[in-house]
Amino acid sequence: MDIATATITDLADAIAHKRVSAREVTGACLDRAAKCEPALHAFLELFEREAMDQAGAIDERVARHEHPGPLAGVPIALKDNICLSWGRTTCGSRMLERYRSPYTATAAQRLIDAGAVVIGKTNMDEFAMGSSCENSAFGPTRNPWDLSRVPGGSSGGSAAAVAAGVVPGALGSDTGGSIRQPAGFCGVVGLKPTYGRVSRYGLVAYASSLDQIGPLTRSVRDAALLTQVMAGADAHDATSSQRAMPDLLAGLEEGVNRLNIGVPRIARSDSNHAAVNEAMARAAVALSDEGAVVREVDLPHAGHGIAAYYLVATAEASSNLARFDGVRYGRRAELGPGDGLDELYRRSRAEGLGPEVQRRIMLGTHALSSGYYDAYYNTALKVRRLIRRDFDAAFESCDALLLPASPGPAFRLGEKTSDPLALYLEDVYTVGVNLAGLPAVTLRAGAASLDGRELPVGVQLVGPAWREERLLRIARMLERALPPVAVAPV
Ligand code: GLN
């Protein structure tokens, strides 16, 4: 069994039936991490000892014929804004460089309870603000398909680790595309569940009305499996839904009859890279070969998504990040004689927070300030409602919408760092989904040949709220109809 290409489903089965031990699998993943990390820098911390201990405990349960759980011995990685009661939870920020969480996030705990082994915490844009991993205070992650390019962001470390064959699955968080865009750049599957499907308890908040934890994996089935294990109500998160989660795995292969797929007109843009338009066409053909009716639909307000997102997200961020004041949380600056409390706040935040985080706190504070609240924040909320209504209308006639994951394939490190707006435009196809609270999944549908290298190109399927089961069935139909996903050549 090649552990670097195996799926979660296969690994859990092999471990539970003693064809391979959990320690062997975890050891192989740690070896692969050691080999890839110097080039990739996907991880902020690796837990060699704890992971081998966790794996050993699984092997003992298997030896005692106890059921070791659906994720028995499967190594996973967590984005570093997901709290774990061991190691550090830095959010890619100097502010939390030494922060040790006293508790584990519900989503991570449910995976661990199901037998998963956490091998490490992955790199990310600081506080999940960014689309390239270049905003990490600890240096960028590189794309395993081309080390001169970014892996996407903000869950870039998780996407790169899965694509490079270090782990078969990882968790990310998605506020405006941070699971789906890096999944596209790295050629893996990434799912953002419906808002409220997965508990946010223990996810360090960026924009609480948009944030959602989700999986990055090598197959649609694995994304379904991780989501199934994580999802469901949690007393610690009042926004987690009480709705029962349908069985995501049982009917996954059955497909969907008389499928209607909508392609929003906004997706056919001349400013997309040619390879993105090719991948879209290929996915549309693959779906109609499966019997789907593919037709154009209109999302009239989609063009305002970026503006609304960057107001709502920064407004919420400015309030969420106020807790990092150097007193209760985070790095505390050294004070000189005579310096007061204001100086402590000012200096701690200036030293602890990077330029993009500071920019967003200022933008958000401005959008919420008296005199501007109605003009900016309230207007953005109204646009948000219109965007949600557009999706509702589209889903009256469509089972899912097909969109690019991003306008182009992975760009070069440094290519967009001098122009924050250029980077914000990367999110044109992803932010609407968060504003509307919908589930969406990215998978690889093509490749771009750039500088003599093959780069993956992803497409996105978006579904109605709470219909992950059908969305994943459609994604599985598409996955089956497209060429299989390879492991990146690190
Ligand atoms: N790229 C978007 C941003 O910078 C999305 C980030 C995210 O989903 N966490 O805000």
Side-chain angles (χ1 to χ4, degrees), residues 79 127-131 153-154 173-179 206 309-310 313 360 424 427 431 434:
K79 185 177 181 178
F127 285 106
M129 298 175 186
S131 308
S154 61
S173 65
D174 192 315
T175 304
S178 277
I179 290 174
Y206 161 16
Y309 168 79
Y310 276 94
R360 295 200 188 192
Y424 295 175
D427 306 329
V431 293
N434 302 75

Side-chain angles (χ1 to χ4, degrees), residues 319-343:
S319 142
N320 273 326
L321 270 63
R323 74 191 64 165
F324 303 111
D325 56 10
V327 178
R328 289 163 303 170
Y329 281 103
R331 179 196 181 98
R332 180 180 297 201
E334 299 279 330
L335 288 189
D339 287 337
L341 187 61
D342 283 343
E343 188 58 19

